[in-house]
Amino acid sequence: MAHATPARQKHQEGFEELNRFWQTLDHMEASVAEYAEVGHGFVEEPIERVLDRIRSFEPSVSVIGQVKAGKSTLLNALIGEVGLLPSDVNPWTSVITALHLNSRYRPPRTRALFRFFDAQEWDRLVATGGRLGEMAERAGFAREADDVRAQVTEMRHTTEARLGDQFASLLGDSHAYPDLDKDTIDRYICYGDPEDMAEGAQEGVYADLTKSADLYVDLPGLPRGLCLRDTPGVNDTFMMREQITLNAISDSRVCVVVLSAHQALSTMDVALLRIICAVEAREVLIFVNRIDELQDPPAEMRRITDSIRKTLSRMGLPEGVEILFGSGYWANCALGTECTMTPTARAALARMPGLFDLSTDDSLRTAAMEASGVPALHRAIARRVVEGPGKALLADVQTEIDAIADMSETVENIAAQGSSAARAGFGPAELSLKAADVRDAALHGFDTRVKALREQLRERLERGQETFVQSAIGALQSHIDVYGEFDAWKHDPTSLRMAMKTAFTSATAKLRREGETGLDDVLDGMQTILQDDLGVFRDSATIEFPEQPQHKAPTVLARTLSLDLEGPWWRKFWKFGSKRAAEKRYAAMIEAEIAPLIDELITGFFDPAVQRTRDIVETFAMDQTAFARAILDCAQDVDRKATQERRLSA
């Protein structure tokens, strides 16, 4: 355990709000578990689901940025473990690395878990030259596509030669370790160029095949149940792992965008801008890193803030995105065994506001930690987790527990009555049949309505594509009229992305309403059974439905398209021989590029959203059936007791 220096105590600041949230959640879990022991049998399954939701809650924070923005250095600083993650990662081999802080549910005897690509994923990555090679091929650049494939093929041969007989057996496999060890981590998260490795070196030996790394970090002072995800740099030359990164972001409620103070938003990749646009503004934190390399940090920070605000405004993002400044380097200096800094970093620290005392080792460390921005980033992350997914979880759990308590109270009231009002001869078999009819009718209606909704979504997406093609061709014609046929041409697909995002958001909003209708159908049908067959009158207005999931705009819309790319060999595409040929070729390429995206939006995002909503409706029907069965059982018990009492009195 590290010595509790003032700097380390300062490092642990910021998570107080998150720790208080966990205490609240612990109390709620204990209360639910206690209720489960005294509750009726029919509530066991819904209570177990509530407990599973509480126990599996692990809010995820994704850290994204360009290569060399200092993401890994910053993550090491955030958890207070200097050098745990390699900080000079080769973009070719970087992987999604999840740091699970004080997790209650790590796999047995596992502190580090590394998963490899399976054979199909590996072939997808290397057989076509990655997505960049695919797009080059689609656009008709056979020679350039061959160049990309040649480079990727060389990587493949190098990897297979290095791993030898292990290669085939590793595909689809995983490696687990009982301890966290830097040398072990370095074998799976490569840094540096494999060609520069010394003979027999093990650094990065598995990195090309590693799909994801899960590291379980147990340290006092850190919150439990929080997951920090380190992602590959978004300017990965071959976009080998772009979709993996986007999927990681879609699973996270908070996204920390790490920028280098030397680049900020003025020169950063358009891919990073698209990713920021793909998530909600309240989920985004921008952390401008490496301010230790600035000559005059306070003055430069004001200039960078203005630049970022202007760029975000130009991208149509709200002004409320929070911007923080700091230095992972300063934080790691403060936490290291020796607090040594470069002269530039020390001079920059001395210029920071607050009149920092740098005369002693402790004061230098404390000043470096305060100026690093790490405690402030802790607070910002904690606030978003608590106010976002944390608040939603507490509200959902309370709603479910209230519903369970209401149903239990109804059963207890029937048990307290001297006789029941159930229809004579109404038994379990008839109840099961009637409840099944209610469930099937509700699900059939839901399926029918959602099928139409799905068709409407596809029509709207295809209409957006057609509109974009027409506008792009019009712009192309204007461009050729002004600049001629031989000047470079590029058309920004932002409007297409926005149209597709709007269509998807509208469809999922309608899906939620269809879910509400399905839940209403179940409730109405079961209310009829309760009243007509069981003699139980319940105010349906007081019954709260289970919460449906919020469907965020899919991050697949941030995926790089050939229309986004710029470079000398892509520019050649726009040097047309005739206006008609240009229009035809351009329209064909857009359609070839966007059609798979439309399919993915529907099958990869909308269809799973439909299934999640359908499952909620079906589970609600099952719970209501169990509730009705409990009432019937209770009513029959009451009737049997009443019959016995009459016989005894006679």
Side-chain angles (χ1 to χ4, degrees):
M1 179 176 168
H3 177 59
T5 63
R8 190 161 287 276
Q9 292 172 350
K10 173 68 68 175
H11 168 268
Q12 294 175 357
E13 291 180 2
F15 285 128
E16 296 85 358
E17 186 176 2
L18 187 55
N19 290 332
R20 287 193 296 271
F21 166 80
W22 280 112
Q23 291 174 359
T24 301
L25 198 60
D26 285 342
H27 292 317
M28 180 172 277
E29 179 184 352
S31 299
V32 174
E34 183 179 344
Y35 185 78
E37 295 180 0
V38 299
H40 297 277
F42 79 94
V43 301
E44 287 182 3
E45 189 171 336
I47 285 180
E48 195 57 41
R49 286 200 305 269
V50 172
L51 289 172
D52 285 344
R53 285 192 64 181
I54 294 174
R55 292 165 179 167
S56 62
F57 182 65
E58 186 188 48
S60 177
V61 178
S62 284
V63 180
I64 68 171
Q66 300 180 85
V67 176
K68 306 298 184 185
K71 300 188 308 299
S72 298
T73 300
L74 179 61
L75 271 163
N76 288 335
L78 283 173
I79 65 173
E81 287 292 285
V82 177
L84 178 68
L85 298 178
S87 57
D88 186 19
V89 178
N90 184 329
W92 183 279
T93 52
S94 54
V95 304
I96 296 289
T97 304
L99 300 171
H100 303 270
L101 307 185
N102 297 319
S103 174
R104 292 196 297 176
Y105 298 104
R106 65 179 173 87
R109 298 179 297 280
T110 300
R111 295 283 180 187
L113 177 63
F114 305 95
R115 295 182 175 88
F116 300 111
F117 290 110
D118 60 31
Q120 183 178 0
E121 291 169 327
W122 176 251
D123 288 341
R124 169 71 170 79
L125 282 173
V126 301
T128 62
R131 289 203 65 248
L132 188 57
E134 290 177 355
M135 289 189 294
E137 188 72 54
R138 181 179 296 133
F141 292 116
R143 183 173 63 80
E144 286 81 0
D146 288 342
D147 290 343
V148 175
R149 275 195 294 272
Q151 295 179 57
V152 179
T153 300
E154 182 181 355
M155 183 274 284
R156 175 176 188 150
H157 290 160
T158 301
T159 302
E160 294 178 359
R162 184 170 69 249
L163 295 175
D165 294 339
Q166 290 187 77
F167 177 81
S169 62
L170 288 172
L171 292 174
D173 198 7
S174 63
H175 287 175
Y177 295 89
D179 299 301
L180 270 182
D181 178 77
K182 178 170 170 44
D183 291 337
T184 299
I185 294 171
D186 287 351
R187 290 204 295 273
Y188 297 85
I189 307 174
C190 179
Y191 61 98
D193 190 334
E195 293 183 2
D196 296 336
M197 289 182 186
E199 185 71 27
Q202 292 297 301
E203 293 93 336
V205 65
Y206 299 118
D208 292 338
L209 281 185
T210 306
K211 178 180 180 179
S212 65
D214 289 275
L215 308 180
Y216 295 86
V217 182
D218 293 348
L219 289 171
L222 293 178
R224 64 175 168 85
L226 184 66
C227 177
L228 304 176
R229 295 184 188 274
D230 188 14
T231 64
V234 293
N235 47 346
D236 173 359
T237 307
F238 297 97
M239 296 179 288
M240 300 291 282
R241 300 165 189 258
E242 181 185 59
Q243 192 56 51
I244 299 170
T245 298
L246 293 175
N247 289 341
I249 295 169
S250 69
D251 291 337
S252 298
R253 184 58 187 262
V254 181
C255 182
V256 179
V257 182
V258 183
L259 310 178
S260 169
H262 295 293
Q263 296 169 305
L265 272 179
S266 57
T267 59
M268 66 179 294
D269 298 326
V270 291
L272 190 51
L273 288 172
R274 286 198 308 275
I275 290 173
I276 296 173
C277 290
V279 295
E280 299 297 330
R282 62 189 170 83
E283 299 169 346
V284 175
L285 291 167
I286 293 179
F287 187 87
V288 182
N289 195 23
R290 299 174 64 178
I291 65 171
D292 57 279
E293 300 173 17
L294 300 176
Q295 225 174 16
D296 185 1
E300 288 293 293
M301 286 159 59
R302 289 190 292 272
R303 182 190 63 78
I304 292 170
T305 299
D306 291 341
S307 173
I308 291 175
R309 293 290 182 205
K310 289 178 182 176
T311 306
L312 292 179
S313 176
R314 197 163 57 246
M315 294 296 297
L317 286 172
E319 297 181 356
V321 176
E322 186 172 358
I323 302 172
L324 302 170
F325 286 83
S327 164
Y329 174 80
W330 278 339
N332 282 284
C333 285
L335 297 169
T337 53
E338 294 183 9
C339 189
T340 56
M341 291 185 197
T342 65
T344 301
R346 189 179 181 111
L349 180 61
R351 285 182 171 272
M352 291 296 288
L355 301 177
F356 291 125
D357 175 14
L358 310 181
S359 59
T360 67
D361 183 73
D362 272 353
S363 63
L364 177 63
R365 290 174 184 270
T366 303
M369 180 55 67
E370 179 66 33
S372 74
V374 166
L377 185 54
H378 284 171
R379 279 189 289 274
I381 289 172
R383 184 168 60 253
R384 274 161 175 72
V385 168
V386 172
E387 294 177 356
K391 184 177 180 180
L393 176 69
L394 293 178
D396 291 350
V397 168
Q398 190 61 57
T399 296
E400 293 182 48
I401 291 302
D402 288 345
I404 291 171
D406 180 66
M407 290 189 292
S408 297
E409 184 179 349
T410 301
V411 173
E412 290 166 3
N413 289 338
I414 293 173
Q417 295 173 0
S419 61
S420 77
R423 178 165 58 83
F426 185 73
E430 188 177 356
L431 171 60
S432 296
L433 288 173
K434 282 196 166 188
D437 287 342
V438 169
R439 180 198 63 209
D440 293 346
L443 292 176
H444 177 72
F446 174 80
D447 292 341
T448 301
R449 294 189 301 273
V450 167
K451 181 180 179 182
L453 186 57
R454 188 181 192 269
E455 292 171 355
Q456 292 168 14
L457 173 59
R458 178 174 287 280
E459 289 174 3
R460 187 168 174 181
L461 291 171
E462 291 175 347
R463 195 162 59 246
Q465 172 186 288
E466 183 179 348
T467 301
F468 176 77
V469 170
Q470 292 172 351
S471 69
I473 288 176
L476 174 59
Q477 290 173 343
S478 300
H479 178 89
I480 293 175
D481 291 340
V482 174
Y483 299 103
E485 299 173 1
F486 303 101
D487 194 60
W489 159 253
K490 183 177 183 291
H491 191 67
D492 186 2
T494 299
S495 62
L496 174 63
R497 284 192 174 91
M498 293 304 296
M500 298 178 80
K501 178 179 178 180
T502 301
F504 183 87
T505 302
S506 173
T508 52
K510 293 176 182 176
L511 173 61
R512 286 178 62 85
R513 290 197 290 271
E514 298 301 351
E516 289 282 336
T517 301
L519 293 169
D520 262 328
D521 290 344
V522 169
L523 184 60
D524 289 345
M526 295 306 299
Q527 287 286 84
T528 299
I529 294 174
L530 290 176
Q531 293 178 17
D532 294 352
D533 299 310
L534 295 173
V536 174
F537 294 88
R538 188 173 56 160
D539 183 4
S540 60
T542 64
I543 300 170
E544 294 207 32
F545 290 146
E547 185 62 30
Q548 297 183 64
Q550 294 285 346
H551 304 293
K552 299 191 294 185
T555 49
V556 69
L557 289 174
R559 192 175 67 190
T560 304
L561 304 174
S562 56
L563 300 166
D564 299 306
L565 300 180
E566 294 185 78
W569 56 278
W570 282 96
R571 290 182 188 277
K572 290 191 302 184
F573 180 82
W574 310 119
K575 295 179 181 177
F576 304 103
S578 71
K579 187 182 295 186
R580 183 175 295 277
E583 293 176 6
K584 185 176 180 181
R585 196 169 176 211
Y586 187 41
M589 196 198 74
I590 294 175
E591 290 167 1
E593 186 82 358
I594 303 305
L597 190 58
I598 291 175
D599 289 338
E600 193 168 354
L601 275 172
I602 293 174
T603 61
F605 291 89
F606 185 72
D607 288 350
V610 168
Q611 187 59 52
R612 287 194 295 273
T613 301
R614 192 183 196 279
D615 289 343
I616 289 172
V617 174
E618 187 168 15
T619 299
F620 182 69
M622 292 168 58
D623 289 346
Q624 292 297 311
T625 300
F627 169 56
R629 178 61 188 266
I631 290 177
L632 177 61
D633 290 344
C634 185
Q636 290 177 333
D637 286 343
V638 168
D639 287 343
R640 279 194 293 269
K641 289 179 181 177
T643 301
Q644 289 175 353
E645 290 176 358
R646 284 196 299 271
R647 287 174 179 171
L648 289 174
S649 63

